[in-house]
Every structure is written in structure tokens, then in C-alpha cells.
Amino acid sequence: MSPLAPEQLARALFGAADLLRGKMDASQYRDVISGMLVLKRASDQPGILHLPERARWSDIVGYKGKALGHVLNEALWELERSNREVLEGVFEALDFDRRVGRAELSALVDHFNHIPLSDDDLEFGDVVGRAYDLSLSAFADSAGKRGGEFFTPRSVVQLMVRLVRPQEGQSVYDPFAGSGGMLIQARQYIDEHSGEGTYFAPFGQEVNGATWSTARLNLLLHGITNGSVLCGNTLTDPLHSLEDGHLRRFDCVLTVPPFSMNYSETEVKHPERMKYGWAPGQGKADLMNVQHVLATLRPEGVGAVVTPHGVLFRAGAEAEIRRGIVEDARLEAVIGIGPNVFHGTSIPACILVLRGTNGTPADQGGQVLFINAEREVVTGRSQNRLEPQNVEKIVGAFREWADIPGFSRVVSLNEIAANDFNLNIRRYVDASPPAEPPLDVRAALSGGVPRSEVDAKARKFHVFGISLADLFAPQGSDHLDFLGEGCEATAARIPELAAVRERDFINHCSAWWEGTESRIAELAGSGKLLMLRPRLMASFREELLPEGILDRYQLAGVFAAWWSERHDDLKSLDHRGSFGVIDRWATADGQRSYLPETLARERVLDVLGDDLRSRVERLVAAERQGLVNVYRSWGDRYATSLTDLERQSEDAAARLSARLEALGYTGPA
């Protein structure tokens, strides 16, 4: 039997949820499935937890003389009592007897009995954790508005972790931990950049008891057992403190606090955190949470916190808080990620990148980077999302501290001060599509296309090997004429004109892959292949960027999307070699693999390379179609001039007059 992949185990967990759906809400069957999963995993894989006799799965399946709900409760109690350091309080609210009927419990036990969960049955060591995290996403979708209380979309989590870049040996803290996704992603980032097995001890706090239990369990199922995730209200009573009573500080803080929560100043312990002032309490705790992040960063630390856009521009006390944060160089970047990205709210959100008391790097001179990524969000049916290429562009602009028209801009402290410390992103970066140039009156009256409009787009045509002579005939120094074949005929020829350069570019991409295959093959089975990502992306971009057809962000984006989609194939290649990848493909198709190892290696590299090349082909084709659209837009504006319209009108009038005369109608005398 082929080992279970994360998506296969996730489907099995969804199947368990289907047995309960409609009988309880998502948060309740989330807890029931979590308990079942831990019991089965602990029994199937000796050593991950101390397993008392009464918690063994074989005893649960073979129960006699007691109600099944009671048997399951006893098993969980015994498991928790034997593993207090990692499970104490996690299943306190779960009672199988009260929550689930006998028929459903029996069906659940039978369902889990057919899911093998030992390490030998799993494709990777983190399969159980990843499948559980996927199921949390589905539970959040089912929970609607309440889903946002415990689950942050993983694309946002990945973006924030990549902005902060936690390193091996650093402390990572999430003061509003939810289901623990931020801490887990930080661990995965460190593993993929420093190697698996590096030391990692996360810290977190969560006010909701059920969500806190989910976070603890999520960390456990990802193999993280040495963290400190506590239950309590972070704003009023932060629990991570030193022996002298001072709050503990961390290298990295990553968090998504509840939006616009209420608070009372008199209930807040450690008021020294609010160095920059107090906002009104009614629904205005956002900047209080930001100040908590600032207060818990080490002097050289970096943090990222999600807030609603209101914190950027609300007046009064909040404006003074922003002033203090900006003047102390504690704010490095403001990144707008658009509306309807988070479960349970459609309001637009932003990410603030913050610095410890040492402030932003000296070479940034107190400036703030604004990124307007609202157009980088992919519109979904019920919720918008960030795709890997969107995340890559945001991270690239941040790391390069880049000015990109309509996307990002470095803004001086003086300009922010002149705007009364209003940080509204659109004030600094307008992401609206560029307006069309004003209609050229001369061209509209007499025909032709303004040379200035063509010159502005000429470079993009040129990189596809298309000259102005291929598209226009000369007409004086300031205008060009459409060719005699007509605008539409010329537009239809553009793909043919671009074909040579397009083919050369794709061949160049193929050549890069051929030169890269050996590096990937050499690392297959080494456990180090995933660490190759930054170098491969840089090589890919540097190799193809001089061609000019795709820009650096498009190249990085297409590579990022390919890597993300093929991540598990690459991980399987890294751990099980080429045959492991062939095996997972065959299993996904419901087939068996017969390829020997030598042919498997060739097949895997061919499929991976073909996939990357096809993605590049689609992106290049979209760019070429953009040229067709530009040319047609000139036709819409200028192909028919006023002179042409007058001539057509005169010709039509003459034809009508001739026809009437032929019919014997001579009109009035």
C-alpha cells in the first residue's frame, strides 16, 4: 500500500466530518474529530505520546460492556493524564457521551479504524499535522463568521512569516494565536531554510478555550511539543513574563488580533506597554494590540500584525499613537491586502511590519514602505485569496525596498508628517489602472495614431520582435497610419509576428531547466532539496530577465506558483527519491507504478520541467495577447476619423439619392 499523502488524509478527515455534519456546528465536530485523531495517531505510532493501556485503539474498537462514548472519554482522560505536559486541558470540554449519538460514534470509530496513522503509513513526517490544518480550513469555511476566530488563511500566514523571516534559534511569539497556524508556518520556514530538526520553541496566547485547545493540538500533530501556548486575554493580561515580573520579549512576533475589539483601560495589566497612548475603548483596541506587539519585541526584533484599515487614518488619540510609532522609526512597512480575505469579515485589512526599539535599519533613514496589493488578491466565489505569485511580488517589493508604480513606494517621514501621520495607503500608492491618454483631436479628426502613444508601448512590442513598420505606415513626424490591410487584420497578425521571439524565450526556459535538472537530481533523497528554492528562483530570474518579455516579478511569480503547486512532489523527491514521486502520482490516479528507478528519475524531471515551461508559455501568451489588445485599442480610438465618418455619410447620402431617383422620386421642386 502506498503511503498516505496530506491531501488523502485530509479527505479522510473530511469524510469523518460528513458523518457529523448537520448534527452539530463546525466548532463542535472539530473537537470530536480532533479527539479521535489523537487517539488513533497515539496508538498507531508508538513514542509520540506515552500510551496507557486504556487509551489503546484496540481497546476502543473491542470495547464491551460500556457505552462507546464512555470508553472514548476514559481513553482521552487517561491519555491526557499520562501526557500532562502537552495535553493538559486540551480535551477538557470534549464529552463524547453528550455530543455524539451512539450510531454516529460507532460510525466514527469504524471510519478511523480504516485510517492507518503510523509513520510507515505516511508519506512525510508532517502529514498528520498538515492534514489536520487542511481540515481546520474546511471547518473555518463551514463556521462562516466564527471561522475567523480560530483560522487565518494560510496564504496570509505564509506572507507574514516571509516578511519577518524567523531564523534558527530565534524566539517566535503569537499573542493572538488562534489555531496556531502562524507558529507552525514559522517552524516550516525555519526547517526549509536551515534544515529539518533545528531547535524551535514557539510562544503563544489565546483567549478562547476551545481555540486554545485546537492550537495546542495542532502544534502537537506537527511534532512541536516544546512550546508555551497559554490561555488568557493577551491585551488585559499577557502571561509570558520573566521571573522579575517584566514581560518576556521575542525575536519575532506574528499575529492577527481580533478586529475592533472593546477594551477597558482599567483592566489592562502592564500598562507600560501603551507607551504611545490610549485609544478610545469602544471597538478601538486595534492600536492597543499593535502596541503590545511593539512592547514584546526585542530591541532588534521584527514583527508583523494584521489590522483593519481604520488604524491607518482614524483621528484623535489614534493619530497621536501613529505619530509616536512613526517618529520612533518603529514602523517599517504598511501593506494593504484588500477586502474579503479573512473568514468572517469582508472589510479590507493591512499588515504592519514593525521593529523593536532599535528601529528600522539605518539605511532606510526613517522612511516607510507602502505597498498597495489590493489588485494582487484573486477574487473568489465567497472569499478572496492570495496566490503564491501574489505573495512573491509583495515579499519581493518589501525585500528590495522598491518603488513600483501603482504598487509600492518608499515615503519619507517628512511627507508622512505633512499628512498629519495619516497612513492611508491610497494616499501614497494609487493602485488604480493607469488612465488612457487624452484623445488626440488631430488624429480623431483626420486619422492616424499619435506617435507619442505608440512610443510609450513600443518597447513591449520590440521585445517580442515586432517593429513599428510591422504595424504602421509613416504619416509625418507626429502620427502613424494604420496599414492598408486594416487594423483588425494587422492585430490578427501580431501572434505570427511574435512567434519567433516567443519560441526563443520558451526554448531559453527549457535550456535553463536542462541545466538545472542535475542539481535537483543530485539533491534527491538528501533532505536538502527544498532549501534550494531561493537559489533556483534567483537563477531562473537572472537567466530569463534579459530577454525582456517577462519582468522580474512575473518571473519570480511564475516560479513561486510552480514551486508551491509542486511542493509535495519535490518534498517526496527529497525524501523518497524519484520512485516516491511516481508512486504518489500513481496513487492519486488510482493506479500502480511499474517504472524502474532509472526511468522514474527521467519521468519525474520531465514532468516537473514540462509543468514549469507550460506555466511560462501561458504567461507569455497572456503578455502577447496584451499587445493585441493594445493595438486594437488604438483602432477603437483612431481607426475611423471624423473625416472618414463625413465621407461615409456623404457616400451614403449619394447612394440614397441615386436610389430614390431610380424609383422616380424627384422630391419637392
Side-chain angles (χ1 to χ4, degrees):
M1 178 179 176
S2 298
L4 277 176
E7 57 273 15
Q8 292 173 298
L9 180 53
R11 284 196 293 271
L13 296 181
F14 299 158
D18 288 339
L19 297 173
L20 301 174
R21 210 179 307 275
K23 299 176 176 63
M24 59 184 71
D25 65 35
S27 62
Q28 291 179 313
Y29 63 68
R30 176 190 71 195
D31 296 342
V32 171
I33 290 169
S34 298
M36 288 282 194
L37 180 62
V38 169
L39 286 170
K40 186 62 161 62
R41 172 67 169 155
S43 289
D44 283 6
Q45 182 53 47
I48 64 167
L49 291 172
H50 178 67
L51 186 66
E53 191 72 30
R54 290 168 69 183
R56 296 183 183 278
W57 188 258
S58 56
D59 286 7
I60 295 171
V61 173
Y63 76 98
K64 293 180 180 178
K66 294 181 181 179
L68 180 54
H70 184 68
V71 172
L72 288 164
N73 284 340
E74 283 189 340
L76 269 186
W77 294 335
E78 288 293 326
L79 191 65
E80 179 180 330
R81 191 172 66 177
S82 301
N83 299 273
R84 292 193 183 280
E85 66 283 0
V86 292
L87 287 180
E88 186 170 15
V90 170
F91 296 111
E92 191 173 275
L94 176 56
D95 186 334
F96 288 104
D97 261 336
R98 293 177 57 191
R99 288 200 181 181
V100 190
R102 293 181 180 181
E104 287 79 18
L105 274 182
S106 180
L108 274 176
V109 169
D110 183 64
H111 183 82
F112 274 93
N113 197 44
H114 291 86
I115 306 175
L117 293 177
S118 73
D119 284 352
D120 291 340
D121 295 313
L122 306 174
E123 186 175 21
F124 314 122
D126 64 349
V127 163
V128 176
R130 287 178 55 195
Y132 183 66
D133 209 50
L134 287 170
S135 70
L136 290 179
S137 176
F139 296 156
D141 289 338
S142 299
K145 185 174 182 179
R146 293 183 59 190
E149 296 176 6
F150 66 87
F151 191 84
T152 300
R154 292 313 182 231
S155 59
V156 177
V157 175
Q158 291 164 6
L159 169 60
M160 294 173 68
V161 169
R162 292 189 61 197
L163 291 170
V164 169
R165 290 192 285 182
Q167 305 296 311
E168 179 183 2
Q170 289 186 332
S171 54
V172 181
Y173 172 53
D174 184 350
F176 303 92
S179 58
M182 207 73 74
L183 301 174
I184 290 165
Q185 186 60 41
R187 164 65 180 271
Q188 292 174 350
Y189 181 90
I190 293 170
D191 283 348
E192 292 190 4
H193 288 78
S194 302
E196 292 186 10
T198 53
Y199 178 76
F200 177 71
F203 298 83
Q205 187 167 334
E206 170 56 42
V207 66
N208 182 285
T211 303
W212 167 79
S213 298
T214 300
R216 293 273 305 277
L217 181 57
N218 204 5
L219 291 168
L220 172 64
L221 293 174
H222 279 86
I224 303 171
T225 58
N226 57 345
S228 173
V229 180
L230 307 177
C231 188
N233 187 319
T234 299
L235 182 58
T236 59
D237 187 15
L239 299 176
H240 289 93
S241 58
L242 303 173
E243 291 182 359
D244 61 6
H246 288 92
L247 288 180
R248 183 164 186 162
R249 297 189 178 188
F250 305 92
D251 298 295
C252 303
V253 181
L254 295 150
T255 196
V256 183
F259 288 179
S260 304
M261 57 189 276
N262 297 330
Y263 83 102
S264 171
E265 182 178 338
T266 59
E267 297 177 355
V268 174
K269 298 179 181 179
H270 295 282
E272 70 277 4
R273 291 176 291 162
M274 308 310 163
K275 172 183 176 181
Y276 299 106
W278 298 84
Q282 194 68 24
K284 296 293 195 302
D286 302 305
L287 279 173
M288 302 296 96
N289 294 326
V290 169
Q291 289 190 81
H292 173 77
V293 172
L294 290 169
T296 52
L297 281 170
R298 297 184 65 187
E300 69 281 8
V302 186
V305 56
V306 173
T307 71
H309 274 222
V311 306
L312 303 177
F313 53 78
R314 288 195 292 249
E318 291 185 279
E320 289 305 308
I321 295 172
R322 290 196 302 272
R323 174 194 295 272
I325 292 172
V326 173
E327 287 183 337
D328 281 357
R330 305 292 300 276
L331 178 64
E332 185 171 10
V334 180
I335 303 169
I337 54 175
N340 200 31
V341 173
F342 294 90
H343 293 278
T345 180
S346 61
I347 65 173
C350 63
I351 299 171
L352 306 183
V353 181
L354 305 168
R355 288 282 181 165
T357 52
N358 286 356
T360 54
D363 59 357
Q364 293 176 3
Q367 301 174 111
V368 177
L369 176 68
F370 287 81
I371 297 178
N372 191 337
E374 61 185 30
R375 293 175 62 193
E376 292 298 310
V377 175
V378 177
T379 302
R381 186 168 52 183
S382 60
Q383 187 176 346
N384 298 338
R385 65 188 186 277
L386 289 168
E387 296 286 3
Q389 60 269 27
N390 310 127
V391 171
E392 195 63 41
K393 184 174 181 179
I394 295 169
V395 172
F398 175 75
R399 293 193 182 166
E400 295 167 11
W401 205 247
D403 281 323
I404 305 173
F407 184 71
S408 63
R409 181 172 164 241
V410 178
V411 180
S412 69
L413 176 59
N414 288 338
E415 183 176 348
I416 295 173
N419 287 317
D420 294 325
F421 295 90
N422 186 318
L423 303 178
N424 192 346
I425 299 169
R426 291 187 180 182
R427 183 179 289 261
Y428 303 101
V429 184
D430 185 1
S432 302
E436 286 191 354
L439 188 69
D440 184 288
V441 177
R442 184 266 187 210
L445 291 174
S446 305
V449 182
R451 186 179 289 271
S452 59
E453 290 189 29
V454 176
D455 287 345
K457 303 288 187 180
R459 180 188 169 278
K460 200 63 179 177
F461 284 92
H462 176 72
V463 298
F464 273 89
I466 302 173
S467 69
L468 295 187
D470 294 320
L471 305 173
F472 299 102
Q475 188 203 83
S477 59
D478 296 329
H479 291 79
L480 298 166
D481 263 338
F482 291 106
L483 299 178
E485 64 186 356
C487 174
E488 274 302 312
T490 304
R493 285 196 300 108
I494 287 176
E496 178 185 344
L497 294 170
V500 173
R501 285 302 313 279
E502 195 171 333
R503 184 170 57 250
D504 289 346
F505 185 81
I506 300 304
N507 288 341
H508 198 163
C509 175
S510 298
W512 175 84
W513 177 256
E514 290 171 6
T516 302
E517 284 180 326
S518 58
R519 298 175 66 187
I520 292 177
E522 286 170 8
L523 287 176
S526 69
K528 298 180 180 180
L529 177 58
L530 296 182
M531 298 172 65
L532 198 60
R533 181 186 187 273
R535 292 195 295 275
L536 288 183
M537 179 182 285
S539 169
F540 178 76
R541 186 169 58 185
E542 290 166 9
E543 187 74 20
L544 297 177
L545 186 60
E547 300 287 328
I549 288 180
L550 300 178
D551 66 31
R552 62 190 301 104
Y553 299 106
Q554 289 173 309
L555 289 167
V558 72
F559 185 92
W562 169 78
W563 187 276
S564 176
E565 184 71 23
R566 291 293 180 177
H567 181 274
D568 281 354
D569 291 337
L570 293 164
K571 189 169 184 177
S572 185
L573 183 62
D574 203 15
H575 287 77
R576 302 172 60 214
S578 301
F579 185 76
V581 185
I582 294 294
D583 188 39
R584 78 185 314 269
W585 291 345
T587 301
D589 293 337
Q591 301 174 358
R592 295 183 61 186
S593 171
Y594 298 99
L595 280 179
E597 181 65 29
T598 52
L599 292 180
R601 174 183 177 276
E602 181 179 345
R603 174 64 175 160
V604 167
L605 292 174
D606 283 348
V607 170
L608 294 177
D610 288 346
D611 186 21
L612 178 59
R613 183 171 55 253
S614 67
R615 291 170 186 269
V616 172
E617 287 174 346
R618 290 195 296 272
L619 188 54
V620 171
E623 288 295 296
R624 180 235 304 145
Q625 183 59 41
L627 300 181
V628 175
N629 296 341
V630 166
Y631 193 82
R632 283 179 172 153
S633 72
W634 288 327
D636 292 339
R637 287 160 66 88
Y638 300 117
T640 305
S641 67
L642 182 59
T643 301
D644 293 331
L645 290 174
E646 290 176 344
R647 186 182 304 114
Q648 292 171 13
S649 178
E650 291 171 356
D651 291 345
R655 288 195 299 273
L656 177 60
S657 178
R659 178 61 175 159
L660 291 174
E661 186 176 345
L663 294 172
Y665 179 74
T666 57

